[in-house]
Amino acid sequence: MKKLLLITVAAVAILFAVVVMTHINNVPKLDEEVNATWAQVQNQYKRRADLVPNLVATVKGYASHEKEVLTDVVEARAKVGQTQISPEMLSSPDAMKQFEANQNALGSALSRLLLVVERYPDLKADKNFQALQSQLEGTENRIAVARRDYIAAVQKYNVELRTVPGRWVAALFYPDAKQKESFSASPAEQEAPKVFF
């Protein structure tokens, strides 16, 4: 009886060790994946921020009296440049909300700028403006893809931390591992855009 109990305990211990050892690297690998996808999100936001001055300068030449909209875009871009989130801050809901709010403000300002453009047919026909607008549209698509990839990476990481055996591995070997914050759409982003003809 004692021998059977000892064999059972040894078998359970070996099984536990095998399960833990096969999952021991998942937490750091998934953490690095989250950090890499976050870097790509920031890369795309930086690309957009770098394009904005060129877009504003092009529009200024045609729409100099639309100063308020242009000022809003410049100010929103400046706020975006001031808010950077390091990989360590990805676990902070407040930091993520501030970052998202600044990015949303820039997106909103750019939308208003593009509405101003509708009033200036010469600007819409300008090759420089068309190229910048195309680059900006491509950047917005890249941002959406980068955010999607980041959300998927965060989901995999958070699932690993919340399910067995990843939960056990994290508790034993990575006690400082915390769930990461994902993106969430603001109420304004969830509304359908209004189109006027």
Side-chain angles (χ1 to χ4, degrees):
M1 181 76 167
K2 201 176 206 186
K3 190 175 182 181
L4 183 60
L5 181 61
L6 212 53
I7 291 173
T8 304
V9 168
V12 169
I14 290 170
L15 181 61
F16 180 77
V18 167
V19 168
V20 166
M21 294 313 284
T22 58
H23 286 81
I24 196 163
N25 289 324
N26 284 2
V27 172
K29 281 196 297 193
L30 292 173
D31 185 40
E32 287 303 316
E33 185 178 339
V34 168
N35 293 339
T37 55
W38 177 250
Q40 186 58 21
V41 169
Q42 288 185 309
N43 179 43
Q44 295 306 325
Y45 279 139
K46 176 156 181 10
R47 184 175 191 271
R48 175 171 72 174
D50 291 346
L51 281 172
V52 168
N54 295 323
L55 181 63
V56 169
T58 302
V59 174
K60 264 186 185 177
Y62 284 91
S64 58
H65 57 283
E66 298 289 354
K67 190 175 180 181
E68 182 182 328
V69 173
L70 296 172
T71 301
D72 289 348
V73 171
V74 171
E75 287 174 0
R77 182 190 177 271
K79 283 183 184 175
V80 163
Q82 293 169 357
T83 307
Q84 295 298 320
I85 296 183
S86 66
E88 297 80 36
M89 296 171 67
L90 292 177
S91 299
S92 169
D94 293 335
M96 286 296 287
K97 283 180 185 169
Q98 183 61 46
F99 183 83
E100 287 182 55
N102 289 345
Q103 291 297 338
N104 291 340
L106 179 57
S108 175
L110 287 172
S111 295
R112 288 194 314 275
L113 178 63
L114 293 176
L115 285 174
V116 165
V117 170
E118 293 296 320
R119 297 185 207 142
Y120 299 93
D122 292 341
L123 178 58
K124 287 187 342 188
D126 181 70
K127 286 183 174 121
N128 290 332
F129 177 76
Q130 288 175 350
L132 284 170
Q133 189 175 18
S134 175
Q135 288 289 323
L136 194 56
E137 181 182 343
T139 299
E140 293 300 318
N141 290 336
R142 290 176 184 185
I143 288 170
V145 169
R147 284 177 67 163
R148 181 201 64 204
D149 293 346
Y150 173 75
I151 290 166
V154 166
Q155 179 187 15
K156 284 195 317 196
Y157 177 78
N158 288 347
V159 165
E160 183 70 18
L161 291 182
R162 295 181 66 207
T163 59
V164 172
R167 176 181 241 167
W168 296 338
V169 171
L172 289 172
F173 298 103
Y174 311 104
D176 58 336
K178 292 184 176 123
Q179 290 188 43
K180 305 286 187 182
E181 286 296 314
S182 191
F183 280 101
S184 58
S186 70
E189 290 176 308
Q190 295 178 36
E191 292 179 20
K194 294 174 178 56
V195 179
F196 300 101
F197 293 99

